[in-house]
Amino acid sequence: MNYKIYSLSAIIFLLVFWSCNSNRLKVDISEIDEEVEIVRFEQKLFSLSEKDTLQAITNLSNEYPEYFDLFTYKVIQIGGLGDDYFLEDFKLFLSDTMILDIKNSVEQEFSEFQVIEEQLISLFKHYKYHFPDKEVPTVFTHISGFNQSVVTAENIIGVSLDKYLGKDCEFYKLL
């Protein structure tokens, strides 16, 4: 009986010791060459001007068809290219003074985006290590007008940078 208690104690000690020293995030990801696509959609979006034609907007839609529709239908909720007031609402979004102020704050806050990109690449390499059969999603950044923090679709993650401007952001007090 004493032997069983000693064996059980030894097993529990080994399990606790092993679990305390085992960090599943400390894995070798150096061999993972997974490409991580990060699209600064807000930069592409605001490179369009209020004077751009429907063709320029259609070109952006054709470049990122799944994400463009996700953004216009679900994030800023103005519908799609075929809707009656889409072009007018799209241009209003791009020229709205509050949205432009938010855009400037986002540009300031995320001026050193390279650090975030490196963290995202590391994150998705770890993801690929643990889930080798899964596809790595494309990450899109955008300005939502404080609507959605994160949106997802099949192999897409959209992040509203305006929702991550820091606790002292003046806009948050207005909300």
Side-chain angles (χ1 to χ4, degrees):
M1 185 122 179
N2 210 6
Y3 177 72
K4 288 182 183 178
I5 293 174
Y6 178 75
S7 296
L8 184 59
S9 297
I11 291 171
I12 291 172
F13 173 78
L14 289 174
L15 286 174
V16 168
F17 178 77
W18 179 76
S19 65
C20 289
N21 288 330
S22 175
N23 184 346
R24 295 189 317 181
L25 294 180
K26 285 191 175 189
V27 294
D28 182 12
I29 58 170
S30 62
E31 297 296 318
I32 298 176
D33 292 328
E34 188 68 30
E35 291 293 319
V36 178
E37 184 179 5
I38 301 167
V39 178
R40 297 293 305 270
F41 189 75
E42 80 282 357
Q43 292 176 344
K44 293 177 181 287
L45 185 69
F46 285 99
S47 70
L48 300 173
S49 75
E50 188 178 339
K51 297 174 185 155
D52 273 331
T53 64
L54 184 58
Q55 185 57 49
I57 296 165
T58 302
N59 290 343
L60 182 61
S61 171
N62 290 339
E63 188 174 358
Y64 305 105
E66 295 87 9
Y67 187 73
F68 187 87
D69 285 343
L70 179 67
F71 180 74
T72 60
Y73 278 99
K74 301 293 183 184
V75 177
I76 61 173
Q77 302 173 0
I78 61 170
L81 282 169
D83 294 339
D84 290 338
Y85 297 103
F86 176 80
L87 185 58
E88 182 180 322
D89 290 345
F90 191 82
K91 288 180 177 183
L92 280 173
F93 179 80
L94 292 179
S95 63
D96 183 271
T97 55
M98 180 131 177
I99 296 296
L100 292 174
D101 287 344
I102 294 166
K103 174 187 155 289
N104 291 334
S105 292
V106 165
E107 287 173 352
Q108 242 180 347
E109 183 68 28
F110 297 100
S111 62
E112 301 294 324
F113 200 76
Q114 181 67 28
V115 173
I116 295 171
E117 284 183 355
E118 290 169 4
Q119 291 172 340
L120 286 170
I121 290 167
S122 176
L123 172 111
F124 284 113
K125 283 187 175 194
H126 280 88
Y127 175 81
K128 196 65 176 177
Y129 177 89
H130 291 288
F131 305 101
D133 297 332
K134 298 285 186 183
E135 192 171 326
V136 171
T138 301
V139 177
F140 290 85
T141 60
H142 60 252
I143 293 171
S144 68
F146 304 110
N147 286 320
Q148 303 288 334
S149 296
V150 176
V151 292
T152 61
E154 186 71 29
N155 298 320
I156 292 174
I157 296 175
V159 179
S160 299
L161 295 180
D162 52 334
K163 297 291 286 261
Y164 301 97
L165 293 173
K167 67 179 181 173
D168 296 327
C169 175
E170 63 188 66
F171 297 111
Y172 299 159
K173 295 170 189 161
L174 298 173
L175 294 173

